[in-house]
Amino acid sequence: MKMSHTLRLTMAQALVKFMTAQKVEIDGAILPLFDGVFAIFGHGNVAGVGEALYQARDVLPTYRAHNEQGMAHAAIAFAKTHNRRRMMACTASAGPGSTNMVTAAAVAHVNRLPVLLLPGDTFATRQPDPVLQQVEVFSDHTITSNDCFKPVSRFFDRITRPEQLLTSLPQAMRVLTDPVECGPVTLALPQDVQTMAYDYPTHLFEEKVHRLRRQAPDEVELAEAIELIKAAKKPLVIAGGGVHYSGALQELDQLVSQYQLPVGETQAGKGALPWDHAQNMGSIGVTGAASTNALSADCDLILAVGTRLGDFATGSRAMYHPDARIISINVGSFDAYKHKAQPLVGDAKLTLPKLVAGLEGWQPEGSWVEKAAELRARWLHAQDVATTDRGTELPTDAEVVGAVNRAAGEQDIVVCAAGGLPGELQKLWRTRYDKGYHMEYGYSCMGYEIAGGLGVKMAKPESEVFVMVGDGSYLMLNSEIATSVMLGQKMILVVLDNRGYGCIHRLQQFCGGPGFNNMLDDCLTVEGGAPKTDFAAHAIALGARGEKVGNIKELEAALERAKASDITYVVTLDTDALVVTEEGGSWWDVAVPEVSPRSQVQEARARYEAYKARQLQNL
Ligand SMILES: Cc1ncc(C[n+]2csc(CCOP(=O)(O)OP(=O)(O)O)c2C)c(N)n1
Ligand SMILES: [Mg+2]
């Protein structure tokens, strides 16, 4: 008779022990799947999860952070840098600590990035009802503040009995490691249940090695896609984040090199090809290169690889030629079906070589290939012009991007998320290394930048991590500077201070609005205006180093000092809020009022309607 082996542990101890048994195989090496756990304790998790993490601290490090949203951003950035193969967990106390992580859960959800969120929850027994920080829904006692995670979790469970782990954890692992469903998993942990013991079967704690499941394409869909491509004369490839997550860089290179296909990169896809690859036309869409967008307006076929085809990639659907056919290679059918595309569901690394083989004998029109090469050369020149120091009093974002790009080494990484910088970076940053461009532009969450930079550094300690951040995002969430200093995870922060929400101010003007409530000078303030923030002094107060510079030359010198520093280093400079790179780009659908007493709004509305008509052709 088979002996039943059990281990008497608390639910929290069992969860942590299970986590330490999860491994991942990457390039033949077996590594822990969970690198560690970010934790901010409170009454909701200190005695249960906290005690369990202490017991496991030698195999699963616990990192103390300063803001729950920030720590979850760091965990998400860590997973993205590892192409979703390695990840972290985050635990927070019941109530505010946990709801602070909801925005980060949304970041992970939109970007399809794995993170294990472990919020404490109110007592399952309800004996102290209402416990401190319980929100108390009058009509429904099953609702707690953690229900906020449900719409932004790919898998949610509330562990109300210790033995529920046995059936919940395999599902949690399935979602965290599945290429299609991948996203945040939330296990809400009532504080009393964390501490309850159960005789767990020991098989729960056996080592489990996770491997990436690769879905081969369906033969019929493949044949249909090949027929469509063969009928095309003017093809364009869009490379999205899926190319990275599939590890299909070489396969993409082979396809586009062999058939001379021009490639536009999305924010998540940037780095799929090095910037100087002959087929890399640059970024695509609202913040796209002039080269790529011109091709997009004139192409007869779009081969979208691993992209969600969000509005920024498609110019809100008004950019690409209405007669262009779209083939969407995607591991998930949800994305493959968008934009009336011909779906080709499958893993890019398996699918692209089948296209290479199936297209034998076909080639795009010669004039299309020439046009692409010309446009590319012109665009590279425009990039050079935009990023060159003009020596004006206030540098532009583009000039700062140029200086940071020149300072960055082969394996270094730039991190950004929101503001005017993502557009300038997507257009202008020259990515040499596939993981060298880390942009959170699925949720474009202000406050991701600095915390995300910490996670990137933890994933790639040998790389210099340059976080480019606006004054607005810096002020929104900067607490993880202190964490980076504490953990010895050095970042270089470049703060572009244009004294306000520059990109929204420009958007407001584009929509016919007056300067209102975006730039500090346009806001309600005390007499004399808003105080000038000293970002360098602020960072120094958090334990980092910092300095303010006045122009691009000084920035270049400061970046060298920053590179030589062994702790986080902040360089701040005043920048121009109004000047952005004119070349490239396309319309973005931001709704303009139908009626307004302002003539500027009426004019903006007329422009808006013209674009809406173009968009209609692609709906
Ligand atoms: C959490 C969050 N709140 C609001 C926004 C909307 N938003 C996008 S960019 C931006 C202003 C960013 O200001 P700053 O970081 O100074 O960059 P700048 O636009 O000046 O380049 C705002 C408010 C957002 N993306 N995220
Ligand atoms: Mg700003």
Side-chain angles (χ1 to χ4, degrees):
M1 202 182 84
K2 201 176 159 201
M3 289 285 290
S4 73
H5 295 286
T6 58
L7 204 51
R8 189 162 176 80
L9 297 171
T10 68
M11 181 267 266
Q13 290 159 358
L15 169 64
V16 169
K17 194 171 176 57
F18 173 87
M19 285 172 62
T20 61
Q22 306 307 303
K23 302 284 152 65
V24 60
E25 187 186 329
I26 302 175
D27 300 332
I30 307 290
L31 301 164
L33 182 78
F34 294 102
D35 172 84
V37 181
F38 273 112
I40 295 182
F41 295 144
H43 72 98
N45 62 345
V46 68
V49 170
E51 191 270 351
L53 287 173
Y54 177 77
Q55 301 298 337
R57 67 195 181 284
D58 292 337
V59 282
L60 185 70
T62 297
Y63 306 115
R64 154 77 151 75
H66 290 86
N67 174 291
E68 291 88 355
Q69 184 187 343
M71 74 182 185
H73 285 170
I76 293 162
F78 177 90
K80 181 176 165 114
T81 307
H82 278 297
N83 281 333
R84 320 198 289 189
R85 311 277 160 85
R86 300 197 62 212
M87 56 195 75
M88 291 194 187
C90 296
T91 176
S93 188
S98 290
T99 48
N100 266 357
M101 293 198 297
V102 173
T103 299
V107 170
H109 196 274
V110 177
N111 290 284
R112 292 96 189 274
L113 293 168
V115 60
L116 177 58
L117 301 175
L118 303 171
D121 211 317
T122 51
F123 281 73
T125 62
R126 301 193 187 146
Q127 280 164 343
D129 191 68
V131 68
L132 175 73
Q133 298 170 331
Q134 185 170 330
V135 292
E136 293 197 281
V137 176
F138 296 165
S139 58
D140 186 344
H141 271 211
T142 67
I143 293 176
T144 77
S145 54
N146 285 331
D147 284 75
C148 297
F149 284 97
K150 285 183 176 172
V152 285
S153 296
R154 292 251 183 252
F155 179 77
F156 177 93
D157 202 358
R158 183 175 283 115
I159 308 297
T160 56
R161 292 180 61 96
E163 60 268 47
Q164 287 174 351
L165 284 185
L166 291 165
T167 45
S168 195
L169 288 176
Q171 293 299 323
M173 294 316 303
R174 174 183 67 82
V175 170
L176 288 170
T177 59
D178 187 288
V180 180
E181 297 220 3
C182 187
V185 165
T186 303
L187 298 180
L189 307 176
Q191 66 163 288
D192 52 346
V193 186
Q194 290 173 34
T195 66
M196 289 177 184
Y198 182 74
D199 294 307
Y200 287 97
T202 49
H203 68 73
L204 183 66
F205 311 116
E206 281 166 12
E207 180 176 288
K208 165 82 182 153
V209 180
H210 298 271
R211 295 180 178 87
L212 183 67
R213 185 186 309 114
R214 293 196 182 275
Q215 166 83 58
D218 174 76
E219 289 302 324
V220 175
E221 279 188 4
L222 180 69
E224 284 172 343
I226 288 170
E227 278 318 296
L228 275 179
I229 300 174
K230 280 185 166 170
K233 295 186 170 62
K234 301 190 282 183
L236 173 68
V237 173
I238 303 180
V243 176
H244 291 270
Y245 301 144
S246 164
L249 307 171
Q250 279 173 14
E251 289 75 8
L252 179 74
D253 188 341
Q254 211 205 330
L255 175 77
V256 303
S257 299
Q258 187 163 328
Y259 294 99
Q260 294 181 286
L261 307 179
V263 180
E265 293 179 326
T266 69
Q267 286 280 20
K270 201 165 156 89
L273 297 176
W275 74 272
D276 54 356
H277 190 291
Q279 298 312 126
N280 192 345
M281 299 294 127
S283 57
I284 190 158
V286 175
T287 48
S291 45
T292 319
N293 285 1
L295 293 171
S296 161
D298 191 27
C299 67
D300 62 359
L301 180 111
I302 292 173
L303 183 61
V305 189
T307 163
R308 299 161 57 229
L309 291 172
D311 61 351
F312 263 73
T314 67
S316 298
R317 297 179 184 238
M319 191 182 73
Y320 54 89
H321 197 284
D323 296 334
R325 290 299 305 260
I326 302 179
I327 298 171
S328 190
I329 300 178
N330 205 293
V331 76
S333 56
F334 180 84
D335 292 312
Y337 270 72
K338 289 174 180 168
H339 287 260
K340 297 176 293 193
Q342 169 74 31
L344 180 49
V345 176
D347 173 79
K349 198 177 179 67
L350 297 186
T351 307
L352 294 173
K354 289 185 190 276
L355 289 186
V356 172
L359 291 172
E360 200 69 50
W362 168 79
Q363 57 184 41
E365 220 167 60
S367 60
W368 180 250
V369 174
E370 279 163 32
K371 178 177 170 170
E374 263 167 47
L375 286 165
R376 177 170 181 275
R378 239 186 281 162
W379 176 248
L380 291 180
H381 177 70
Q383 274 188 340
D384 282 336
V385 172
T387 51
T388 299
D389 178 12
R390 265 161 281 216
T392 45
E393 200 190 328
L394 282 179
T396 62
D397 286 2
E399 289 166 22
V400 178
V401 167
V404 177
N405 208 169
R406 289 190 295 275
E410 284 292 318
Q411 299 286 306
D412 294 346
I413 305 173
V414 67
V415 180
C416 189
L421 277 166
E424 295 297 85
L425 280 164
Q426 197 195 1
K427 277 186 181 179
L428 304 173
W429 185 267
R430 293 183 165 175
T431 314
R432 306 178 187 103
Y433 154 54
D434 58 312
K435 295 302 319 170
Y437 183 85
H438 185 116
M439 180 69 66
E440 190 285 286
Y441 214 66
Y443 211 44
S444 187
C445 184
M446 287 172 74
Y448 177 87
E449 298 89 341
I450 295 171
L454 170 63
V456 173
K457 184 66 182 177
M458 291 172 90
K460 287 270 183 220
E462 66 285 2
S463 297
E464 201 75 81
V465 174
F466 292 90
V467 175
M468 295 192 66
V469 59
D471 53 312
S473 272
Y474 183 104
L475 287 174
M476 195 171 278
L477 187 49
N478 51 61
S479 352
E480 270 33 75
I481 291 176
T483 315
S484 83
V485 174
M486 180 168 107
L487 294 176
Q489 301 288 353
K490 179 220 169 172
M491 302 181 270
I492 297 174
L493 311 186
V494 182
V495 184
L496 291 85
D497 184 5
N498 57 14
R499 296 156 309 285
Y501 299 153
C503 70
I504 306 299
H505 171 73
R506 296 191 298 271
L507 183 61
Q508 185 172 51
Q509 291 192 319
F510 182 76
C511 295
F516 172 57
N517 207 52
N518 283 310
M519 303 315 291
L520 293 174
D521 282 347
D522 298 331
C523 297
L524 284 179
T525 62
V526 293
E527 202 157 330
K532 173 97 178 124
T533 307
D534 186 339
F535 292 99
H538 177 268
I540 291 167
L542 294 182
R545 297 206 176 101
E547 61 176 297
K548 181 168 181 198
V549 296
N551 56 44
I552 296 291
K553 281 218 163 40
E554 289 178 21
L555 171 65
E556 285 170 341
L559 287 173
E560 292 309 312
R561 288 188 285 279
K563 285 199 278 184
S565 169
D566 54 355
I567 59 172
T568 291
Y569 201 104
V570 177
V571 184
T572 175
L573 77 167
D574 289 349
T575 50
D576 195 311
L578 297 176
V579 182
V580 284
T581 304
E582 286 290 318
E583 291 83 357
S586 73
W587 176 69
W588 182 32
D589 189 345
V590 174
V592 178
E594 255 185 296
V595 290
S596 170
R598 284 175 60 80
S599 63
Q600 296 94 323
V601 175
Q602 293 156 15
E603 285 155 25
R605 177 72 196 188
R607 281 199 304 271
Y608 180 69
E609 280 171 10
Y611 279 110
K612 288 300 269 186
R614 267 165 61 182
Q615 180 189 54
L616 201 58
Q617 296 181 299
N618 282 329
L619 285 180

